[in-house]
Amino acid sequence: DIQMTQSPSTLSASVGDRVTITCRASQSISSWLAWYQQKPGKAPKFLIYGASSLESGVPSRFSGSGSGTEFTLTISSLQPDDFATYYCQQYNSYPYSFGQGTKLEIK
Amino acid sequence: EVQLVQSGAEVKKPGESLKISCKGSGYSFTANWIGWVRQMPGKGLEWLGNIYPGDADTRYSPSFQGQVTISADKSISTAYLQWSTLKASDTAIYYCVRSITGSTFDYWGQGTLVTVSS
């Protein structure tokens, strides 16, 4: 099974900051990586697929990059609505697996 | 508008059985995958499995194979997740998810909280 590891686990930042979250796979997953955003008490929201393609309606301040085993999610200028927990997910092979999550907090 | 509407919260005792549901609307139920994702209290996301209602093709995570059963009734556009013998460790929120390709989850249900306690 493919293990997904995110770093950091918690990130404190301010509105307007540029932040980057890293996701590493235990083996190559090509570009079969997705990102999700989850706010407290809510279902996750689909943000990015194919490592770098934005889902329709997702603000352009979100971007993804990477391939193989190392991936990043970048938010170019944090907005108040962006404080949430972010998860990566590999879909290269069954069983699909998620990272443990990165909680983005207000500094 | 795509919607996945899940059944309500459940409180069960260990050893009991349970079946929760997820009704899809606003899209072709038989031409998209439906999956289930678990979130234990204060924890991350875990994929349990997917079903393609069009032909009932079902895939399970090995961690959940034999522990749960995923099914679908395409006549009423509803997918199910069931347990025959619940354990306290099954306490979690369970989300149903739509997937066009069977791999990424673009729409999520509101979640069903399952509490298993004696």
Side-chain angles (χ1 to χ4, degrees):
Chain A
D1 296 3
I2 298 174
Q3 311 302 319
M4 306 300 293
T5 304
Q6 291 181 229
S7 59
S9 294
T10 306
L11 179 57
S12 296
S14 301
V15 172
D17 285 353
R18 177 184 179 91
V19 298
T20 297
I21 297 168
T22 298
C23 176
R24 290 186 174 86
S26 60
Q27 64 189 74
S28 177
I29 58 170
S30 185
S31 295
W32 303 116
L33 186 95
W35 289 97
Y36 300 84
Q37 174 195 66
Q38 187 179 32
K39 296 181 181 178
K42 299 294 187 182
K45 176 186 174 183
F46 184 40
L47 297 178
I48 287 172
Y49 61 95
S52 61
S53 297
L54 251 60
E55 174 70 349
S56 175
V58 174
S60 58
R61 63 181 179 273
F62 289 89
S63 64
S65 66
S67 66
T69 62
E70 187 152 336
F71 303 85
T72 59
L73 172 69
T74 298
I75 309 172
S76 59
S77 178
L78 272 174
Q79 299 301 301
D81 191 49
D82 300 337
F83 292 94
T85 299
Y86 293 85
Y87 295 93
C88 61
Q89 177 228 336
Q90 69 82 17
Y91 53 100
N92 178 78
S93 61
Y94 288 120
Y96 300 147
S97 49
F98 293 87
Q100 82 279 15
T102 294
K103 185 176 182 180
L104 181 51
E105 298 181 327
I106 301 175
K107 185 183 286 185
Chain B
E1 178 195 8
V2 174
Q3 283 195 306
L4 298 172
V5 178
Q6 298 185 227
S7 49
E10 302 274 0
V11 179
K12 292 289 190 179
K13 291 182 167 37
E16 293 185 331
S17 62
L18 176 64
K19 190 174 189 177
I20 62 175
S21 67
C22 169
K23 183 172 176 62
S25 62
Y27 71 99
S28 174
F29 186 76
T30 55
N32 290 267
W33 292 80
I34 286 275
W36 290 92
V37 174
R38 182 174 84 171
Q39 188 165 39
M40 298 177 76
K43 302 299 183 184
L45 307 172
E46 300 171 273
W47 175 74
L48 281 70
N50 286 350
I51 188 167
Y52 190 78
D55 61 7
D57 184 12
T58 308
R59 313 292 172 90
Y60 289 95
S61 166
S63 297
F64 295 95
Q65 177 95 45
Q67 308 305 307
V68 298
T69 301
I70 294 171
S71 61
D73 184 341
K74 58 187 179 183
S75 70
I76 54 171
S77 300
T78 300
Y80 301 96
L81 178 66
Q82 68 181 91
W83 297 258
S84 57
T85 308
L86 285 161
K87 303 185 285 283
S89 58
D90 292 318
T91 295
I93 297 173
Y94 293 85
Y95 293 101
C96 67
V97 293
R98 187 193 81 156
S99 178
I100 295 173
T101 59
S103 51
T104 55
F105 312 126
D106 59 351
Y107 285 91
W108 294 62
Q110 82 275 20
T112 295
L113 174 62
V114 174
T115 303
V116 184
S117 174
S118 55

